[in-house]
Amino acid sequence: MARRVERFALQSVARDILPDSRTAKCLRIRAYDKDVEVWKSKEHGTASYGGLQTCGSVWTCPVCAAKIAERRRLEIQDAMAQHRAQGGEVHLLTLTTPHTRFDALEELLARQTKALQAFLRDRKVKQVFTEMGYQGQIRAWEGTHGRKATNNGWHPHFHFLQFVLVKADAAQLMDWKTRLYLRWDAYCQKAGLGSPSFAHGIDLQDGQQASNYVSKWGLEDEMTKAHIKKGKAGGETPFDLLRSVLADKEDKQAFALFAEFARCFKGKRQLSWSNGLKARFNQVEKEDQELAAEIEDSAELLGQILADQWRDVLKVKARATVLELATFSGWPAVQKFLAFLDGCRDGVYEYDPAIVAEARQLILEGMT
């Protein structure tokens, strides 16, 4: 629940930075003049909203990104399990490029895209993939910023889940990695990115290492949630930049960097499956927007919030509080809270976060 509260708070920060975006309206504006619905999952016991517009952005919306990432994680887990059950293996290939604080993100992404497209078309790269018994891949694109670490600017990079048939030993993996590095290095230089080091420019992990990685904190999380998890070693993810603005409204650098990220990644796919791979594992193709708006099949409708009541909730920034009350105390608690808020939209009383928090606590404790 604490994470849910933070996501709504971060979404509000994104709204301030991107006032004209779909994220600014996400889970605030009613869909088709419907009443706002509150649903509760029978499987997980958590509450969620229906009847509201969603932006479906994995890049700029912490709320939608969390929901979409969870659905994508399940898709990837299922595909990996099926492939391994059929005797296959999954390798994790990571590609990155040199970068500095002087790089403009838009130009850096364009050069990386050029290098990657040439790399994947290369005859020698295809030969290595053939030796692996390559069946397909899932590519994830993510980015962090190093202003609080080495101050080396934006660090966009690629992860690939390689669905292969050959279970290679360490010597074979090193041979593949070396040959792939030589081609990656050549195309990075040709694209004007400079020469990536062998230590940092490429990584190739075998099935056992990947399994250990999964057991530690999740290979699927690396593919779908790296964008929303907190950065390592001082590196900041885009949502870390939102956290910085939330903590310090004067952090103009974080504000500007998030705006730059949103502009440059708009319209790009976070996850890309190679042709035919989803069909191979009987995966239904769904866009991010569809996943963001989905209501669980096992969810039950607790109740509806009327238009005036919803304006009260927005006025006091209580979207997360309503879901918390619904999750832990049911619909009667939500009704009691809405009655407490009644009229604040019209300035019946001044918004005081402390009073709202106290009312929430009293209701959770079952007090009148």
Side-chain angles (χ1 to χ4, degrees):
M1 198 64 227
R3 289 194 298 271
R4 178 80 65 89
V5 171
E6 183 193 42
R7 287 177 201 138
F8 277 108
L10 294 179
Q11 188 193 58
S12 294
V13 175
R15 181 171 180 255
D16 292 338
I17 298 174
L18 309 169
D20 298 322
S21 68
R22 286 175 55 83
T23 298
K25 300 176 182 178
C26 183
L27 293 174
R28 299 181 63 88
I29 307 300
R30 291 178 297 135
Y32 312 113
D33 291 326
K34 295 174 62 176
D35 288 332
V36 179
E37 302 164 341
V38 178
W39 294 78
K40 187 170 184 179
S41 168
K42 294 180 181 178
E43 180 180 357
H44 304 292
T46 54
S48 60
Y49 288 118
L52 291 170
Q53 294 181 24
T54 55
C55 68
S57 174
V58 295
W59 303 121
T60 61
C61 180
V63 179
C64 285
K67 186 174 182 178
I68 293 166
E70 181 60 21
R71 303 300 193 274
R72 298 301 187 201
R73 181 182 70 83
L74 295 176
E75 291 177 349
I76 293 175
Q77 279 183 324
D78 179 62
M80 290 177 66
Q82 288 189 55
H83 184 63
R84 284 173 168 159
Q86 297 165 5
E89 189 52 272
V90 181
H91 294 160
L92 178 63
L93 172 67
T94 302
L95 298 174
T96 189
T97 64
H99 51 95
T100 74
R101 59 179 169 165
F102 303 108
D103 291 323
L105 180 58
E106 185 173 16
E107 183 178 346
L108 187 58
L109 293 178
R111 290 179 176 178
Q112 282 190 340
T113 299
K114 181 179 179 181
L116 181 64
Q117 289 174 345
F119 172 80
L120 293 176
R121 288 194 301 262
D122 184 83
R123 178 177 56 82
K124 293 182 179 179
V125 170
K126 290 181 178 180
Q127 182 180 339
V128 172
F129 285 2
T130 298
E131 292 174 17
M132 292 178 174
Y134 172 85
Q135 303 295 296
Q137 64 185 197
I138 304 173
R139 185 197 74 192
W141 202 353
E142 63 183 66
T144 57
H145 197 278
R147 67 179 186 139
K148 291 186 176 180
T150 55
N151 197 21
N152 57 356
W154 286 110
H155 175 40
H157 50 284
F158 306 102
H159 293 288
F160 295 86
L161 278 177
Q162 301 282 102
F163 287 72
V164 300
L165 299 178
V166 177
K167 298 181 180 181
D169 59 19
Q172 181 64 77
L173 279 171
M174 180 56 69
D175 175 66
W176 287 338
K177 177 181 176 181
T178 301
R179 289 156 62 192
L180 290 174
Y181 166 74
L182 292 174
R183 304 315 299 149
W184 180 237
D185 176 59
Y187 288 115
C188 283
Q189 292 191 54
K190 189 174 292 188
L193 290 162
S195 178
S197 70
F198 184 70
H200 300 107
I202 189 169
D203 191 22
L204 181 62
Q205 298 187 45
D206 68 5
Q208 183 58 52
Q209 289 174 310
S211 294
N212 292 339
Y213 198 63
V214 172
S215 65
K216 183 177 181 180
W217 62 274
L219 177 58
E220 294 81 11
D221 285 355
E222 177 72 4
M223 294 299 296
T224 63
K225 293 191 175 181
H227 171 59
I228 61 176
K229 71 178 187 288
K230 294 187 177 181
K232 300 178 181 178
E236 291 177 288
T237 68
F239 290 170
D240 280 331
L241 295 173
L242 290 182
R243 291 184 181 95
S244 294
V245 177
L246 181 63
D248 179 8
K249 299 297 184 184
E250 298 304 313
D251 193 340
K252 303 301 183 183
Q253 185 183 42
F255 190 105
L257 288 173
F258 185 81
E260 179 187 12
F261 173 84
R263 175 175 55 81
C264 294
F265 271 84
K266 183 178 180 180
K268 300 186 185 301
R269 295 186 69 90
Q270 184 189 41
L271 287 179
S272 299
W273 295 56
S274 56
N275 291 335
L277 190 62
K278 275 202 169 185
R280 179 190 180 115
F281 299 116
N282 299 311
Q283 297 277 1
V284 177
E285 188 68 46
K286 290 187 177 182
E287 296 297 324
D288 290 344
Q289 177 62 54
E290 292 181 77
L291 294 180
E294 268 187 355
I295 301 294
E296 286 186 28
D297 292 338
S298 63
E300 62 175 334
L301 180 63
L302 295 184
Q304 295 179 315
I305 301 176
L306 302 178
D308 284 347
Q309 294 174 319
W310 183 244
R311 284 194 285 271
D312 287 336
V313 172
L314 293 178
K315 178 73 173 181
V316 300
K317 304 177 183 178
R319 291 180 299 165
T321 299
V322 168
L323 295 184
E324 181 184 24
L325 291 170
T327 296
F328 295 112
S329 301
W331 188 244
V334 174
Q335 291 177 306
K336 186 178 291 187
F337 184 68
L338 294 175
F340 170 77
L341 297 182
D342 186 34
C344 69
R345 61 188 178 276
D346 299 320
V348 172
Y349 60 82
E350 185 105 3
Y351 166 49
D352 187 335
I355 294 177
V356 173
E358 182 180 356
R360 161 197 163 277
Q361 189 60 37
L362 290 175
I363 294 171
L364 282 173
E365 293 173 357
M367 300 173 64
T368 58

